[in-house]
Structure formats: structure tokens, C-alpha cells
């Protein structure tokens, strides 16, 4: 096998260079030849893992060079880089709640059957679907969805940090292709090779995929029932406790320090912790863990076992918290009693869309008007703020919207 570490470092250095397109740098005959050599060498590894020669050839047909955008996307994971309020504002909002309720009605029959089979609350599954692919909308975007074999081969070859993961997932992706559950042209996923409506990495697909609609294929790309049942199966097999919540928003008494670790609800109550909605805890002996993701000035939570089961899906507290909060509001909850400790006055999704529209009209922004504040929106906000002599904090605030409405 070609030793690609030095070459990969050169690629990653170019990726990190702001504003540079490096297609012309790496997409050349020498780079392609090295990648093709790696593909040829990896065939033996794949065959030792049960991949047939025919499947391998089919998997790599047309894969001639690495996908540079995969390496760019690998440098940024919002679960670990965004402040908690920024991450959740983009995912738990009036738009995602309304769509979740609409999908709950549309797939009610299937959700009832899935709940009966796996014991996982339907609103949790709808929230996962929203968080992963915006209820399937992201799967329609060519700028997001990528060829899964090419993506994983790119990471296996050119990203030393993820090479072991990518090799394992690449073989698993070829096993999926070999089963016939999906054809080669539809074997698509995220930059990291996560597949279908509910974004399963290939090894997890092999472990948990379900043919819920009974058509003989575990098709999480085209069958919403299969995708939601597969998510439910993962949670079920990792210890989801039916009929129990993921956590409780709580109020902490002022001026008291709290111990770390898991304690019973009764023990936390003895320390002065109460539910934010004023209701009683349902189980005094339940073991729960205190989390303050935005510090003592933001909302606080007692997390149950189900919170940690959700982290089997994505091992980030922000992600599991987002799923739980969105699920509760899809189910009719009014949301948090204590808002996040943002350094600005927040605005609604509609107002965020208005902000993006104003920035576009003024020539600062050329992205999608969708209310979601990513890097391009933040850069546009900062450019406008600098032009106006404001603090360039990049926040989508009511203070900023008030100023820009006057332009």
C-alpha cells in the first residue's frame, strides 16, 4: 500500500488555506496515480473481508480521484465548535417543530408500528430525522450529498486522523452494496459516509438496519419507515428505556456548589434542585446526572439514561440535547423555561431569513435564505457590522436587524 501520510499533510495544508480552491493543486495526474494505486492495493484488504471482486469493481467504477470537499468538511464539526445556543438555534426552532408535527401526522401509522416494535417514542425519532437530514430535504442537495465510496476512500487515503475509521466504513459500505439493499448509483451519504434519511454510518447500518415496509430491502435512502425503524432499533439495542424521558429541565438554588456524577432524583432534590416547570419528578429513585451546558446563567438539566443512549447516535452532548428538546416540542411542550445565555437578543427563523435577505440585497451575502446561520451568514454579518462601525460579533441579533432594516 502506498504510504500517503506526507501527501495527505500537503493536501490538508492546502485545504486550510482560506479561500483557496485546490482542485488544480491535487487533481493532477500524479495525485490521481497515487490514489489509483491506493485503490488497487486496497482490493486485497477488501477481499479478505468478504468483498467479491465483482462488488469491488462495481464500487470503484468511476472513482478516479479524491473528493477535495470531503477534506474541507472534515475540518469542521459544529457539535464540537459552535456555542450551544448557536448549534441549537439552527436546529430547534419554529420551523423544525412545525415540520416535525406535520411528519408525525403523515407517518402516524408507521410511527405507531415502530413504537410498538421497539419501544422508542415517535417524537425522538422525528427529532433525529430532523437533526440528521431536515426530514430528508438535505438528501436532495447535490452540494451536501456525496458518493459514499469516493468519500470514504478519500478519508481512508488522505486523512490520517480518520483513515482507520474510513477503511472500516468503506468495507462495510461495499458489504451493503453486495447485499443488494441499494444499487451503486444511490449509495450516497454525507462527507463522512453517513447514509440515508437518518444518517447511519455503514457499520451501524449492517448492525441495525430494518426492512420496516416489508419490501425485502433495508432501504434507509428511499423508505422513511425503514429509516425511522432503523434509528429506533439502534436506540432499542443500546438500552433505550420505553416510557421514560431523556431529561428534565431544572432550577438550581443560587450560591450552592453541586457534586459531579450520577445521583438519584431524591438526592438532587435534597440539594434544592427542582423541576423548571414546577411539576413533580415521576421517579425519586431514578439515577440522573446534572448538566449545565451554558453555565449556571443558562438552563440546567438532570439527564436520564436515555440521554446517554442518544449519544450512541452521535457522541456529543449538544446533539443529544437537541434531539431531546426538539422531540419534546414536536410533542407539544412549550420549550425551555430558562433561555440560553446569549450575548444578544435572539430573533425568530423568519426574522433570520429577513436578515439574510437584507444582507443579500446589500451585497454582503450570496448564500441560501433559510434562516440557518452558518459561516457564510456570520461572515456577511461581520462584514456589514464592520462597515457600520459596529462590534463585528457575527450574531444574528434583534439589535442588528433593527439597524439593517433602516438601510
Amino acid at each position: 500500500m502506498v504510504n500517503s501520510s506526507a501527501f495527505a499533510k500537503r493536501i490538508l495544508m492546502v485545504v486550510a488555506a482560506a479561500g483557496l480552491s485546490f482542485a488544480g493543486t491535487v487533481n493532477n495526474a500524479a495525485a490521481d496515480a497515487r490514489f489509483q494505486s491506493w485503490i488497487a492495493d486496497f482490493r486485497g484488504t477488501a477481499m479478505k473481508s468478504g468483498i467479491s471482486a465483482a462488488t469491488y469493481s462495481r464500487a470503484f467504477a468511476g472513482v478516479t480521484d479524491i473528493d477535495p470537499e470531503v477534506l474541507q468538511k472534515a475540518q469542521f464539526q459544529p457539535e464540537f465548535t459552535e456555542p450551544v445556543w448557536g448549534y441549537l438555534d439552527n436546529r430547534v426552532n419554529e420551523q423544525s417543530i412545525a415540520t416535525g408535527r406535520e411528519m408525525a401526522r403523515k407517518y402516524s401509522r408507521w410511527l405507531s408500528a415502530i413504537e410498538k416494535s421497539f419501544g422508542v417514542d415517535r417524537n425522538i425519532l422525528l427529532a433525529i430525522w430532523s437533526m440528521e437530514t431536515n426530514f430528508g430535504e438535505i438528501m436532495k442537495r447535490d452540494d451536501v450529498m456525496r458518493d459514499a465510496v469516493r468519500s470514504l476512500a478519500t478519508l481512508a487515503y488522505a486523512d490520517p486522523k480518520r483513515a482507520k475509521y474510513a477503511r472500516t466504513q468503506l468495507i462495510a459500505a461495499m458489504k451493503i452494496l453486495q447485499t443488494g439493499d441499494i444499487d451503486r448509483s444511490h449509495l450516497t451519504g454525507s462527507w463522512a459516509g453517513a447514509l440515508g434519511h437518518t444518517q447511519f454510518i455503514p457499520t451501524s447500518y449492517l448492525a441495525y438496519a430494518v426492512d420496516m415496509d416489508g419490501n425485502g430491502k433495508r432501504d434507509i435512502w428511499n423508505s422513511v419507515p425503514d429509516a425511522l425503524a432503523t434509528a429506533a432499533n439502534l436506540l432499542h439495542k443500546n438500552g433505550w428505556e420505553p416510557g421514560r424521558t431523556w431529561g428534565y429541565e431544572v432550577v438550581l438554588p443560587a450560591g450552592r456548589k453541586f457534586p459531579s456524577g450520577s445521583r438519584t432524583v431524591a438526592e438532587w432534590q435534597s440539594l434544592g434542585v427542582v423541576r423548571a416547570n414546577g411539576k413533580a419528578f415521576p421517579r425519586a429513585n431514578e439515577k440522573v446526572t446534572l448538566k449545565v451546558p451554558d453555565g449556571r446563567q443558562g438552563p440546567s438539566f438532570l439527564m436520564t439514561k436515555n440521554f446517554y443512549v442518544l449519544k450512541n447516535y452521535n457522541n456529543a452532548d449538544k446533539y443529544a440535547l437537541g434531539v431531546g428538546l426538539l422531540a419534546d416540542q414536536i410533542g407539544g411542550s412549550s420549550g425551555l423555561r430558562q433561555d440560553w445565555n446569549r450575548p444578544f437578543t435572539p430573533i425568530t427563523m423568519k426574522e433570520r431569513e429577513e436578515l439574510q435577505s437584507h444582507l443579500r440585497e446589500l451585497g454582503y451575502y450570496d448564500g441560501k435564505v433559510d434562516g440557518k446561520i452558518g459561516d457564510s451568514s456570520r461572515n456577511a454579518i461581520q462584514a456589514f457590522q464592520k462597515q457600520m462601525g459596529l462590534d463585528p460579533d457575527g450574531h444574528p441579533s434583534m439589535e442588528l436587524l433593527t439597524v439593517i432594516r433602516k438601510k
Side-chain angles (χ1 to χ4, degrees), residues 62 95 118 120 136 153 169 212 217 233 260 273 295 302 306 309 322 331 343 357 361 368 385 398 406:
Q95 191 176 83
F118 301 101
V120 179
Q169 298 308 321
M212 191 69 194
K217 295 185 177 183
N233 192 33
S260 60
V273 178
L302 290 179
N306 282 346
V309 174
S357 294
E361 290 166 5
K368 290 185 66 176
Q385 289 171 323
M398 179 55 72
K406 297 175 182 177

Side-chain angles (χ1 to χ4, degrees), residues 100-116 122-123 125-126 129 212 224-225 228:
R101 291 172 180 173
E102 178 187 343
M103 293 299 119
R105 292 188 291 271
K106 182 175 180 179
Y107 292 99
S108 176
R109 179 172 68 89
W110 286 112
L111 288 164
S112 293
I114 292 168
E115 281 183 330
K116 184 176 180 181
R122 66 185 62 201
N123 296 319
L125 302 175
L126 291 166
W129 187 17
M212 191 69 194
V224 171
L228 296 180

Side-chain angles (χ1 to χ4, degrees), residues 43-97:
R43 177 185 287 266
T45 301
M47 288 184 177
K48 288 178 183 178
S49 298
I51 304 302
S52 70
T55 297
Y56 195 87
S57 296
R58 186 154 47 106
F60 279 96
V63 179
T64 59
D65 54 3
I66 65 168
D67 185 338
E69 289 190 30
V70 166
L71 297 177
Q72 287 177 310
K73 292 176 184 293
Q75 306 312 303
F76 176 71
Q77 290 181 269
E79 293 92 335
F80 302 103
T81 57
E82 286 187 42
V84 63
W85 43 262
Y87 178 82
L88 293 176
D89 284 351
N90 277 339
R91 293 161 178 82
V92 184
N93 51 62
E94 63 270 24
Q95 191 176 83
S96 59
I97 295 163

Side-chain angles (χ1 to χ4, degrees), residues 13 19 41 56 59 74 146 148 166-167 181 183 211 221 232 301 347 349 360 375 389:
M13 286 174 65
D41 287 345
Y56 195 87
R146 323 199 72 73
R167 288 194 298 268
D181 280 333
D183 62 72
D211 174 21
W221 295 264
F301 306 90
I347 54 179
M349 286 294 281
R360 172 179 278 182
D375 284 345

Side-chain angles (χ1 to χ4, degrees), residues 326-356:
L326 180 54
D328 285 356
Q329 291 183 69
I330 290 172
S333 165
S334 59
L336 293 173
R337 267 56 175 186
Q338 171 65 48
D339 197 8
W340 301 105
N341 186 32
R342 300 178 189 83
F344 60 92
T345 305
I347 54 179
T348 67
M349 286 294 281
K350 285 293 183 185
E351 289 168 334
R352 286 167 160 228
E353 290 177 5
E354 180 190 345
L355 176 60
Q356 289 171 327

Side-chain angles (χ1 to χ4, degrees), residues 217-354:
K217 295 185 177 183
R218 300 171 299 170
D219 185 358
I220 64 173
W221 295 264
N222 301 296
S223 170
V224 171
D226 284 6
L228 296 180
T230 297
N233 192 33
L234 180 151
L235 297 177
H236 167 69
K237 288 187 174 177
N238 281 282
W240 184 267
E241 296 186 337
R244 298 198 175 191
T245 185
W246 56 273
Y248 308 95
E249 185 187 359
V250 296
V251 176
L252 308 178
R256 171 172 282 183
K257 292 185 178 180
F258 290 91
S260 60
S262 178
R263 284 171 167 69
T264 66
V265 165
E267 288 173 319
W268 288 113
Q269 285 180 299
S270 71
L271 295 172
V273 178
V274 297
R275 288 186 72 178
N277 62 10
K279 296 181 180 179
F281 291 99
R283 287 169 290 274
N285 292 326
E286 183 175 25
K287 282 287 189 87
V288 288
T289 303
L290 179 66
K291 294 273 186 182
V292 285
D294 196 26
R296 289 288 293 265
Q297 300 305 309
S300 304
F301 306 90
L302 290 179
M303 301 304 193
T304 72
K305 178 185 175 182
N306 282 346
F307 176 83
Y308 295 95
V309 174
L310 286 171
K311 291 183 68 174
N312 284 280
Y313 214 106
N314 181 323
N315 190 28
D317 280 2
K318 292 175 193 172
Y319 176 87
L321 180 59
V323 169
L325 291 173
L326 180 54
D328 285 356
Q329 291 183 69
I330 290 172
S333 165
S334 59
L336 293 173
R337 267 56 175 186
Q338 171 65 48
D339 197 8
W340 301 105
N341 186 32
R342 300 178 189 83
F344 60 92
T345 305
I347 54 179
T348 67
M349 286 294 281
K350 285 293 183 185
E351 289 168 334
R352 286 167 160 228
E353 290 177 5
E354 180 190 345

